[in-house]
Amino acid sequence: MTRAQPVFLAGERDAGVQVPWKPCGDGDNAGVARTAADAVRRIGVKLAALAQDGLAYTSDEYDRDRYRQVSRLAAELLSVLSGRPADELAVELGRDSGYATPKIDVRGVMFDDHERVLLMREKTDGRWSLPGGWADPGDSPAAAVTREILEETGYHSSAVKLIACWDRELQDNPPPLPVHVYKLFFLCRSGGAVQPPAALETAGIGWFDVSALPPLSLGRVNHRQLERALAHHRDPALPTEFD
């Protein structure tokens, strides 16, 4: 599955992939730091979406050329902020067509009888995450998350509740990306035989107490999100959360 690559802001790249990212404001649900560079990154993402929309709807060749130029400028702007080649970003931004919409990231949360959560170790950064990833066209959200759980952990499961629909930009999930992402967290129940996980993406699986978690892949899931998932496991009547 294709992974969106991060757009690091100036001075925030490090060898360990994970970048400390402090929210501003008083609450855990406060937005990520509103630095000038981050504001410029958001403009770049919106310019890329505007160019994609224009290319989807215009039939005038002069307008198409202008929208291609806007798309290229967006890639160059994001390149200046991230240090990634503009050509690489142009390819990534050009993968989608039609009207630009946020991408959907699904995450499946399963707890055992001791309230331990099932996590998988990512091969990309060596850190731990809930099983999940981009939803594929043709999959319902529930089908997408149960497929990801099976592929990445070997557990058959069923989705029983939508815990939350969160905006990645507002949830303190670093680092910044060149696309806008909604994160859907599902409470799931295991069922059926367990099989070996797919070796391509998973370096290990384990059950962990939420109060004693291993190093998390924070771009995928953070401590607060796991704590909210545990609250929904304990009380399924809680309403679905959203930004």
Side-chain angles (χ1 to χ4, degrees):
M1 178 175 293
T2 302
R3 306 274 184 185
Q5 296 298 310
V7 172
F8 293 93
L9 305 185
E12 291 175 344
R13 183 186 298 274
D14 70 0
V17 177
Q18 293 297 321
V19 179
W21 193 256
K22 298 180 180 179
C24 61
D26 297 329
D28 287 339
N29 202 34
V32 294
R34 301 295 200 271
T35 63
D38 189 53
V40 173
R41 179 188 63 84
R42 290 168 184 265
I43 292 170
V45 172
K46 290 181 178 180
L47 280 174
L50 179 64
Q52 181 178 320
D53 294 347
L55 288 169
Y57 289 106
T58 187
S59 57
D60 184 277
E61 283 304 315
Y62 291 100
D63 284 341
R64 292 185 68 82
D65 181 64
R66 294 186 184 98
Y67 284 124
R68 291 189 189 100
Q69 291 182 50
V70 172
S71 181
R72 180 66 190 186
L73 288 171
E76 292 176 358
L77 187 63
L78 294 171
S79 175
V80 170
L81 293 173
S82 67
R84 291 176 58 194
D87 289 343
E88 179 183 304
L89 283 165
V91 170
E92 186 166 332
L93 293 171
R95 285 196 182 106
D96 290 334
S97 60
Y99 189 81
T101 60
K103 294 181 71 66
I104 303 298
D105 174 40
V106 295
R107 296 289 154 181
V109 193
M110 291 203 305
F111 291 95
D112 65 10
D113 293 338
H114 303 287
E115 296 191 336
R116 296 179 304 174
V117 64
L118 178 64
L119 299 179
M120 50 82 64
R121 191 172 189 181
E122 297 279 351
K123 280 195 169 182
T124 54
D125 61 10
R127 292 172 177 255
W128 295 81
S129 172
L130 291 171
W134 299 129
D136 289 338
D139 277 352
S140 69
V145 75
T146 54
R147 175 180 50 77
E148 291 284 351
I149 291 172
L150 180 61
E151 290 177 354
E152 296 184 344
T153 71
Y155 280 83
H156 291 268
S157 65
S158 58
V160 298
K161 180 186 179 182
L162 177 62
I163 295 171
C165 176
W166 283 318
D167 186 328
R168 190 182 187 277
E169 293 278 341
L170 304 177
Q171 285 292 315
D172 193 23
N173 291 115
L177 296 178
V179 291
H180 196 180
V181 178
Y182 290 168
K183 298 176 72 67
L184 304 184
F185 281 65
F186 287 89
L187 187 63
C188 300
R189 296 282 184 264
S190 63
V194 181
Q195 63 189 51
L200 288 177
E201 297 184 22
T202 304
I205 62 173
W207 296 88
F208 298 91
D209 192 293
V210 174
S211 64
L213 294 167
L216 295 178
S217 184
L218 294 175
R220 298 174 174 89
V221 64
N222 60 36
H223 293 78
R224 179 188 176 277
Q225 289 162 343
L226 288 174
E227 289 168 357
R228 295 307 306 147
L230 178 58
H232 282 260
H233 169 71
R234 289 173 172 172
D235 183 2
L238 287 174
T240 296
E241 302 179 19
F242 57 90
D243 288 319

